[in-house]
Amino acid sequence: MTAKKQISAEESTELLKTLRKRFEKNKGRHDRMDWSKIEARLNSNAEKLWSLHEMEISGGEPDVVDYDEKTDEYLFFDCAAETPKGRRSFCYDREALDSRKEHKPQNDIITVAKEMGVEVLSEEQYRYLQTLGEFDLKTSSWIKTPKEIRELGGALFCDRRYNTVFVYHNGANSYYAARAFRGVLKV
């Protein structure tokens, strides 16, 4: 593990305090989970803690939302009410970014997600998130796009309007001030 993928002891303490508060405040997202087990898992994995810190400082408000018994992993999703502010105005992937001749965005979501050590939510994961609350009422979030759509130049995004989750398409090289991505981290 590189030094870049670690946070200080003080940052770790503060992050765990923030995550515990969020966990306790949002019991409906994880009613049968035990915070002490999750915290122990996080304390034994500095790189995952670093990724959660990246999610937090970019405005994602990560929270544990599921446990996969098959893989013995806790799943953290970005649970901010609106798409994370620190990840907005990016196009879909590096190919899309490189294809822009003018007005290039600062980055692309696939690269940023990889650098953060997270994955972009799939449509199924996004829909699951929406069962836990109401998210993206004013913004939208890029989601993992099937290869067939991406090969044709498109990318998918979602939002919630009229009490319904919508899936839309756009050119992968587009970007908007109110669109980012929500990540998932498996711990």
Side-chain angles (χ1 to χ4, degrees):
M1 174 174 32
T2 64
K4 179 185 174 193
K5 302 255 182 183
Q6 292 182 6
I7 57 176
S8 71
E10 184 178 305
E11 288 171 321
S12 177
T13 299
E14 283 305 307
L15 177 61
L16 287 169
K17 200 181 300 181
T18 299
L19 293 172
R20 184 181 66 246
K21 273 180 156 173
R22 190 172 294 135
F23 182 88
E24 291 168 355
K25 182 181 176 186
N26 298 286
K27 290 271 189 201
R29 295 179 187 161
H30 36 249
D31 57 355
R32 291 184 299 262
M33 292 185 218
D34 178 357
W35 174 253
S36 62
K37 291 179 182 179
I38 297 165
E39 186 173 18
R41 179 84 53 97
L42 291 172
N43 279 322
S44 69
N45 196 327
E47 195 165 336
K48 299 288 185 174
L49 205 52
W50 178 86
S51 292
L52 282 168
H53 183 257
E54 292 296 299
M55 292 169 82
E56 184 68 27
I57 63 172
S58 61
E61 300 178 21
D63 196 9
V64 63
V65 298
D66 205 0
Y67 173 73
D68 187 333
E69 290 183 24
K70 291 179 193 168
T71 62
D72 186 32
E73 293 174 312
Y74 293 98
L75 277 67
F76 284 81
F77 285 7
D78 285 307
C79 292
E82 301 298 339
T83 198
K85 287 183 180 180
R87 302 181 226 153
R88 294 183 186 175
S89 298
F90 297 161
C91 63
Y92 186 75
D93 60 15
R94 184 60 52 179
E95 180 184 345
L97 180 63
D98 291 344
S99 75
R100 290 193 67 97
K101 303 293 184 232
E102 300 178 330
H103 311 293
K104 287 188 178 214
Q106 187 179 24
N107 214 330
D108 69 272
I109 66 141
I110 299 299
T111 299
V112 172
K114 186 176 180 182
E115 288 170 353
M116 291 173 63
V118 302
E119 296 175 31
V120 175
L121 291 184
S122 67
E123 180 181 349
E124 178 183 11
Q125 290 167 327
Y126 187 89
R127 288 184 182 281
Y128 174 69
L129 174 67
Q130 292 286 357
T131 68
L132 303 175
E134 294 183 350
F135 302 92
D136 289 335
L137 297 177
K138 298 176 186 170
T139 57
S140 61
S141 295
W142 289 110
I143 60 170
K144 198 176 293 183
T145 297
K147 181 180 171 189
E148 301 78 25
I149 294 172
R150 185 59 200 99
E151 286 175 348
L152 295 171
L156 301 179
F157 67 96
C158 293
D159 63 24
R160 183 183 189 116
R161 304 290 191 272
Y162 310 108
N163 203 28
T164 303
V165 175
F166 291 94
V167 178
Y168 308 91
H169 60 87
N170 235 156
N173 65 355
S174 64
Y175 63 98
Y176 298 90
R179 184 175 308 150
F181 74 92
R182 292 176 181 276
V184 55
L185 179 68
K186 299 172 184 176
V187 180

